[in-house]
């Protein structure tokens, strides 16, 4: 058969294809597969022989030694492992990049939502800055916090904390100043709260001997018979989350059923020394925490509230960042990096993409925090603690209870916060740095100027900013 252009086109039916062994026939395909398998089998056999020829007793011993070394490196966090050099390095680089202006600005070109979040954070900073400058003008800073050397206003968040850590390490080396215990030693932290009559969850006791604590725990002497469970075991010398030193004790029966495991855990954490490996300031902070005397404390629970986002009851905690005696924002423990501002807005990042690019959504969840009047009390309580400490920056962690705004309770504090602040990372440290560079503050020169920060006392009139505290203990601003 001829096409119009003279080209002969041949018609071939299926039978003809199979008969002539065309490449498209089932027999041809089957043959090709068998040939492929034969080639693969041949190569496996070839390389197996090469491998076995090299697998001499000497090489086998070397291989076993290598596997053993890799296993030990992983188990003991040497180079490999959860806290090995590689993981530490990658984690630190990732954390530092995530709070840089370059990283934050990059996503504003990718996502309109990221740009909107960044713009809101910028406008929030601009609206808050005059109020912080005014607050700082009458704020007395304890001399311990003035050693931090800051010479530029655009220092990043992690850089600011690293400069503080260096200053504290230098003072410790030079004169033995250990004011850092206000956070790095939980026992001293809670003694400070107690001395100043802040409300905390019930503290059942402190121990400076782990063997005595272990005996007391299993003899039912550490926790009162009428205590509300669960209760919490805490190591005073381990404040970093990476130390995993806090353990919830579910009930008296649970304690006794897990006696062997708890005994080992208590001893392990007593011996363990803090390693702030997740943070760029680890070198200086580790020097400070290495000096701490181990301690143990046991603390009671705080009431749970119905948390809308996870749809379950939980203890709701707001971690408030304060500068110059004034609260800037709070990080909430529902969602991921949820942020609450002074204007009451609640920023959440509910999707993977929003998390990635820092594009927040206004939260429909847990609006009771704003509507029931919790925020006014939270800001006031955090600011009061910061004033007594005379500290330029501190994070004050506060428990709140749905339906009872006056039940707010201080949990802990942090002078080296590693929380995620999203777009606020760029602007929040400016408030801190500007106060130092432009000297907004007053230096405290009162009778307690040489007193360690963790021993300051408002009830004894031995603290900075005494005249600025207008609500006495427990410093709760009621309606």
């Amino acid at each position: 058969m001829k096409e119009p252009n003279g080209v002969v086109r041949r018609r071939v039916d299926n039978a003809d294809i199979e008969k002539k062994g065309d490449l498209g026939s089932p027999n041809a395909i089957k043959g090709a597969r068998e040939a492929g398998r034969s080639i693969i089998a041949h190569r496996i056999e070839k390389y197996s022989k090469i491998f076995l020829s090299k697998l001499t007793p000497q090489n086998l011993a070397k291989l076993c030694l290598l596997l053993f070394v890799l296993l030990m490196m992983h188990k003991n966090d040497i180079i490999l492992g959860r806290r090995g050099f590689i993981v530490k390095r990658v984690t630190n680089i990732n954390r530092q990049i995530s709070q840089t202006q370059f990283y934050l600005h990059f996503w504003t070109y990718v996502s309109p939502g990221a740009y909107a979040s960044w713009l809101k954070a910028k406008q929030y900073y601009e609206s808050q800055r005059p109020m912080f400058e005014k607050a700082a003008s009458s704020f007395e800073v304890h001399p311990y916090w003035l050693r931090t050397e800051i010479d530029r206003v655009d220092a990043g968040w992690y850089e600011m904390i690293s400069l503080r850590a260096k200053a504290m390490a230098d003072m410790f080396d030079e004169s033995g100043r250990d004011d850092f215990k206000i956070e790095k030693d939980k026992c001293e932290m809670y003694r400070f709260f107690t001395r100043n009559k802040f409300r905390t969850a019930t503290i059942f006791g402190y121990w400076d001997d782990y063997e005595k604590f272990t005996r007391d725990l299993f003899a039912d002497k550490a926790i009162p018979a009428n205590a509300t469970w669960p209760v919490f075991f805490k190591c005073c010398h381990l404040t970093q989350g990476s130390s995993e030193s806090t353990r919830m004790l579910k009930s008296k029966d649970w304690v006794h059923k897990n006696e062997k495991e708890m005994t080992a855990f208590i001893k392990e954490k007593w011996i363990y020394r803090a390693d702030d490996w997740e943070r760029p300031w680890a070198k200086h902070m580790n020097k400070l925490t290495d000096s701490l005397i181990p301690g143990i404390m046991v603390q009671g629970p705080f009431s749970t509230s119905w948390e809308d986002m996870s749809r379950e009851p939980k203890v709701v905690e707001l971690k408030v960042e304060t500068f110059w005696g004034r609260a800037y924002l709070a990080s909430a423990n529902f969602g991921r990096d949820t942020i609450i501002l002074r204007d009451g807005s609640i920023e959440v990042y509910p999707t993977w993409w929003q998390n990635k690019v820092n594009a927040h959504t206004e939260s429909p969840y847990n609006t009771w925090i704003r509507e029931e009047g919790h925020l006014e009390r939270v800001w006031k309580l955090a600011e009061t603690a910061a004033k007594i400490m005379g500290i330029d920056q501190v994070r004050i962690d506060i428990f709140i209870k749905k339906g009872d705004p006056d039940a707010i309770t201080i949990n802990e504090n942090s002078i080296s916060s590693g929380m995620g602040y999203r777009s606020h990372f760029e602007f929040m440290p400016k408030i801190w740095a500007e106060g130092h560079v432009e000297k907004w503050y007053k230096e405290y020169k009162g009778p307690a100027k040489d007193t360690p920060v963790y021993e300051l006392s408002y009830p004894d009139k031995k603290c900075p900013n005494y005249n600025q505290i207008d609500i006495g203990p427990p410093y709760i601003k009621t309606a």
Side-chain angles (χ1 to χ4, degrees), residues 251-402:
S251 66
K252 182 188 291 187
D253 289 342
W254 184 92
V255 168
H256 288 288
K257 287 178 181 177
N258 292 274
E259 180 173 350
K260 183 177 180 180
E261 188 271 337
M262 276 301 300
T263 299
F265 178 81
I266 293 165
K267 182 177 181 180
E268 174 193 340
K269 296 306 177 183
W270 184 268
I271 297 171
Y272 186 80
R273 290 297 174 267
D275 180 6
D276 218 353
W277 65 273
E278 296 177 296
R279 316 295 184 199
W281 50 82
K283 174 184 175 182
H284 300 301
M285 286 297 188
N286 286 355
K287 175 186 290 187
L288 302 177
T289 54
D290 283 348
S291 71
L292 296 175
I293 297 172
I296 290 171
M297 62 177 287
V298 176
Q299 190 172 26
F302 184 78
S303 301
T304 60
S305 299
W306 181 258
E307 197 275 286
D308 301 338
M309 197 169 191
S310 62
R311 300 190 62 79
E312 63 181 5
K314 68 184 298 183
V315 175
V316 177
E317 184 177 29
L318 303 186
K319 301 186 175 188
V320 184
E321 286 290 352
T322 71
F323 304 92
W324 315 111
R326 178 178 168 83
Y328 190 82
L329 55 72
S331 176
N333 68 334
F334 55 87
R336 180 174 178 179
D337 294 345
T338 296
I339 293 170
I340 303 178
L341 304 181
R342 290 193 69 112
D343 61 10
S345 61
I346 304 175
E347 301 176 354
V348 293
Y349 304 82
T351 69
W352 177 88
W353 179 247
Q354 287 176 290
N355 264 303
K356 184 68 177 176
V357 304
N358 298 319
H360 80 273
T361 298
E362 180 62 23
S363 175
Y365 309 105
N366 301 313
T367 57
W368 56 267
I369 294 174
R370 176 179 61 238
E371 295 160 357
E372 293 182 356
H374 293 271
L375 292 179
E376 293 83 354
R377 293 164 173 79
V378 165
W379 305 140
K380 187 71 174 181
L381 184 59
E383 290 168 354
T384 301
K387 288 175 181 176
I388 295 174
M389 294 166 66
I391 189 167
D392 49 344
Q393 176 279 333
V394 65
R395 194 191 79 209
I396 303 293
D397 303 346
I398 298 174
F399 291 144
I400 60 174
K401 181 182 178 182
K402 186 175 183 179

